[in-house]
Amino acid sequence: MLALTLRVTGVAIAVAAVIGVPLGLILARSRFRAKSVVVALIYTGMGLPPVVVGLAVYLTLSRSGPLGSLGWLFTPTAMVVAQIIIALPVVAGLTMAAADAIHPELPLQLRSLGASPSQEARAVLREAQPGVLAALLAGFGAIISEVGAAMLVGGNIDGQTRVLSTAVVLETRRGHFAMALALGGALLTLAFVVNALLLRFQSVPRRLG
């Protein structure tokens, strides 16, 4: 159960980071006609109820849905998909806010020094590193304790799709409050350890610099 929680949440936040961090940086540094619409969609996505995401993924992956032939429903893959949808707007939106807070003269200075677009992007990312880390932590927090979507698309199947958050709900419904509290404690401990490791990772380049 603990391993599955780590695997599902880890894959989801990794995919959300790979897509969301570049997307946030691009939105922060770009100007185009539909930008306000895209930003509004991202901010709206940051407040999406997980159970609504779970329902949408369930209908998409069900036998009568457009992706029903994949056979992903009630599997960890479906849970990863739902968690990516939940975490992606959070990561992209907070990364965009962090990049927007960088001094606007920095890109101009980099270009005047002959920096390539990739070098400029890396420099902006380094400057926005604390905000990007906060975005990843927020995205991770949004999905590790999420229940609604995981229950809908995973089915809470023992030994297959039961994670710590859904196990807490199950044991509470059974009246096994001591077990529910123990599982809740394990979930909080897991979240604390992952957050502490990420914060430790952030502090390394600062000391080296």
Side-chain angles (χ1 to χ4, degrees):
M1 193 184 308
L2 177 62
L4 181 61
T5 301
L6 274 174
R7 179 160 59 93
V8 170
T9 306
V11 172
I13 196 61
V15 174
V18 169
I19 300 173
V21 172
L23 177 60
L25 292 174
I26 291 171
L27 288 174
R29 313 315 300 177
S30 303
R31 299 291 181 268
F32 54 94
R33 184 172 299 178
K35 179 178 177 178
S36 59
V37 176
V38 176
V39 172
L41 288 172
I42 289 176
Y43 284 154
T44 301
M46 292 174 68
L48 276 176
V51 68
V52 174
V53 174
L55 177 60
V57 174
Y58 178 92
L59 294 175
T60 302
L61 298 180
S62 64
R63 289 185 178 180
S64 58
L67 299 180
S69 60
L70 295 175
W72 286 357
L73 193 61
F74 303 138
T75 67
T77 302
M79 299 167 69
V80 169
V81 171
Q83 291 192 359
I84 290 171
I85 296 173
I86 295 169
L88 180 58
V90 177
V91 173
L94 294 181
T95 298
M96 180 179 62
D100 271 333
I102 295 175
H103 198 288
E105 291 185 0
L106 175 61
L108 297 176
Q109 293 175 350
L110 292 170
R111 291 168 197 158
S112 68
L113 294 172
S116 66
S118 61
Q119 291 173 327
E120 179 185 336
R122 286 196 297 269
V124 171
L125 182 59
R126 282 196 298 269
E127 287 296 315
Q129 180 182 332
V132 172
L133 178 62
L136 296 177
L137 291 175
F140 175 77
I143 58 178
I144 192 171
S145 58
E146 183 279 320
V147 177
M151 292 278 279
L152 277 171
V153 303
N156 199 22
I157 303 171
D158 187 21
Q160 297 183 40
T161 59
R162 183 169 299 165
V163 291
L164 285 173
S165 59
T166 58
V168 170
V169 174
L170 177 65
E171 296 301 332
T172 301
R173 289 176 176 173
R174 290 174 172 175
H176 301 162
F177 300 114
M179 177 60 73
L181 287 172
L183 292 170
L187 183 61
L188 288 174
T189 301
L190 176 61
F192 174 80
V193 169
V194 172
N195 288 337
L197 289 174
L198 285 174
L199 290 171
R200 177 78 173 177
F201 173 77
Q202 180 195 19
S203 69
V204 170
R206 289 183 176 273
R207 287 200 302 269
L208 292 177

